[in-house]
Amino acid sequence: MQSLSQSPRDPAFVQNPYPFYEKMRSAGPLVHWQDYDVICATDYATIDTILRDRRFGRAPIAPIQVPPHLKPFYAVEAHSMLELEPPDHTRLRGAVLRAFTNRRIKALRPEIEALCDELIDTFPNEPFDLMETYGRPLPARIIARFLGVPEGDWRRLVDWSNNMVAMYQSNRTREQEDVAAAAAQSFSDYIKIQIDAKRASPDDSLISTLLTAHTAEKLTEHEVISTCILLLNAGHEATVHTFGNTVKTLLGFGLSPQVGETFINEILRFDPPLHLFDRIAYQTVEIAGHTFNPGDRVALLLASGNRDANAFKNPNSFHPDITDAKPLSFGAGIHFCIGAPLARLELEISLNRLWERKPNLQLSGAPQYADIYHFHGLESLRVTT
């Protein structure tokens, strides 16, 4: 197995990680990334295989040794379905799917369209940041409604989310850890207040749905809190980054979108919001000639698999009308993104509405990606209309 080095904080890598991924794929389906000291799966077939192989999972084999200053953060993680395996994962996911039905998601279309129009009506005449004005508030306000928390609180929900997901970034600092722990505590306290309110006055929100499952499926209050935080954090972050990356790509190529399922699959393949996702081996497993032992970690380079020439024709080009794109960006197997239908709907409506209302949208300066690996999204997106 080859071993390669590339700092994830290198400015050139932050702006364009794809040449390094190509180098990784050329070195083999499994490559040691020195800077992370981890074996990485680099090609589509290997990544897809591991995502679906139940001999790998997310939950650690041994208990995590949590330093005192991070206890609030890991108190949330301990009950997050993203970090659990069956039977707990099955129980939590089943409870959430009671709310995330296709019918309920589709019924949100008029609300999303109206919110898009409301936000577009606020666009100034001079250059402005499309992310702050449109890309970030839209999914945050929709998920706030879906959860059943006050929509006017969306800014602090996003602040807590941004501070918490910094824990997943490379080379995080002690200051970032302290901020993430404080955000986790504040977020948990906030959701606890909302839970108390829903118990007193139930409605059709996600929180009420989870509370209804409390007796039948034995969800604890900690599990309800962690699930709400996960859905806000994961749903908001991924949708915001995908929106920004998509608009940047379209304006860079001078394209007008006709956004449907095919288009969204292709943008998720071409420039996805999440580039690296871990799995842990639970058994002795041989993959691509390498033996993983129980407890071994493997990093799945989703964005690299999405550029694999063995899976996609001309993978470094953007093909908005491609019909065979099945990106790895939402994962696969039992951890496939539960919010994918909502994210797809928000992207379809927000992009189509944006170009319908503002057909002369143009970039105002070169967009820059933020130093937030292993996420991949823009610092800002300044445009004119």
Side-chain angles (χ1 to χ4, degrees):
M1 183 186 301
Q2 292 194 42
S3 181
L4 299 177
S5 176
Q6 171 62 64
S7 169
R9 304 297 300 275
D10 174 35
F13 175 84
V14 169
Q15 297 308 313
N16 184 11
Y18 297 104
F20 177 65
Y21 296 156
E22 187 166 354
K23 185 178 179 181
M24 293 274 274
R25 289 193 303 277
S26 297
L30 295 174
V31 178
H32 177 253
W33 191 344
Q34 296 175 18
D35 303 78
Y36 281 104
D37 190 22
V38 68
I39 293 172
C40 296
T42 66
D43 68 335
Y44 187 100
T46 305
I47 294 168
D48 188 58
T49 295
I50 295 174
L51 283 171
R52 299 175 188 277
D53 193 326
R54 296 298 302 123
R55 295 172 295 178
F56 293 88
R58 289 284 300 174
I61 289 180
I64 297 174
Q65 299 302 311
V66 179
H69 71 285
L70 285 177
K71 285 185 177 180
F73 178 83
Y74 282 102
V76 173
E77 292 286 281
H79 303 286
S80 170
M81 78 173 87
L82 185 64
E83 309 300 334
L84 297 173
E85 295 298 313
D88 289 331
H89 174 272
T90 306
R91 181 168 49 83
L92 283 169
R93 190 177 179 96
V96 174
L97 284 173
R98 292 177 59 193
F100 269 86
T101 63
N102 287 335
R103 184 175 68 175
R104 190 167 183 182
I105 297 299
K106 290 178 180 178
L108 290 172
R109 179 177 290 275
E111 287 187 52
I112 297 173
E113 290 175 343
L115 182 54
C116 287
D117 286 335
E118 176 187 327
L119 294 171
I120 291 171
D121 287 342
T122 70
F123 287 3
N125 293 323
E126 65 272 7
F128 65 99
D129 183 359
L130 186 66
M131 301 300 291
E132 286 300 318
T133 309
Y134 191 65
R136 290 192 179 97
L138 178 64
R141 290 174 62 177
I142 292 298
I143 197 65
R145 294 180 189 179
F146 202 81
L147 289 175
V149 305
E151 188 176 341
D153 291 341
W154 74 268
R155 289 187 185 276
R156 58 173 167 164
L157 299 179
V158 168
D159 287 343
W160 288 331
S161 174
N162 291 339
N163 290 334
M164 288 184 70
V165 300
M167 285 289 292
Y168 305 114
Q169 297 170 22
S170 63
N171 301 325
R172 66 180 188 244
T173 65
R174 171 58 189 264
E175 181 182 4
Q176 286 176 313
E177 291 181 346
D178 289 339
V179 171
Q185 186 64 61
S186 296
F187 210 158
S188 297
D189 293 343
Y190 176 87
I191 296 296
K192 173 65 167 65
I193 293 171
Q194 307 306 317
I195 288 173
D196 291 341
K198 298 304 179 189
R199 283 187 175 134
S201 181
D203 55 22
D204 63 350
S205 68
L206 176 66
I207 293 178
S208 284
T209 301
L210 294 177
L211 292 174
T212 302
H214 187 82
T215 299
E217 302 182 33
K218 299 180 181 178
L219 264 65
T220 68
E221 184 171 274
H222 291 300
E223 288 173 335
V224 175
I225 290 171
S226 293
T227 299
C228 290
I229 291 175
L230 170 65
L231 293 173
L232 189 285
N233 289 358
H236 172 262
E237 293 290 330
T239 306
V240 169
H241 295 328
T242 304
F243 172 84
N245 297 355
T246 302
V247 175
K248 169 189 175 292
T249 299
L250 289 169
L251 295 180
F253 286 122
L255 300 173
S256 297
Q258 293 181 345
V259 182
E261 182 178 358
T262 296
F263 176 92
I264 292 173
N265 280 344
E266 175 63 1
I267 196 61
L268 285 167
R269 181 201 69 82
F270 183 71
D271 202 18
L274 176 65
H275 280 208
L276 181 153
F277 201 53
D278 286 351
R279 283 291 189 273
I280 297 168
Y282 292 151
Q283 302 176 25
T284 299
V285 186
E286 183 174 325
I287 299 286
H290 176 79
T291 299
F292 290 95
N293 295 310
D296 286 352
R297 174 180 164 229
V298 57
L300 310 180
L301 289 175
L302 306 177
S304 175
N306 284 344
R307 295 289 187 100
D308 184 355
N310 290 319
F312 305 102
K313 296 179 181 178
N314 302 316
N316 292 317
S317 298
F318 179 55
H319 309 280
D321 57 349
I322 201 166
T323 59
D324 62 350
K326 296 180 181 178
L328 297 164
S329 309
F330 283 133
I334 68 167
H335 285 286
F336 182 82
C337 178
I338 200 167
L342 177 58
R344 288 178 178 278
L345 184 65
E346 288 176 341
L347 288 166
E348 176 204 330
I349 295 171
S350 64
L351 291 165
N352 281 330
R353 211 68 165 186
L354 179 62
W355 256 267
E356 288 169 7
R357 295 281 309 277
K358 301 295 180 182
N360 297 318
L361 194 71
Q362 294 182 348
L363 290 173
S364 177
Q368 295 293 306
Y369 287 98
D371 181 9
I372 53 174
Y373 195 81
H374 43 85
F375 297 104
H376 186 65
L378 299 174
E379 289 181 345
S380 65
L381 184 61
R382 296 196 63 77
V383 298
T384 59
T385 58

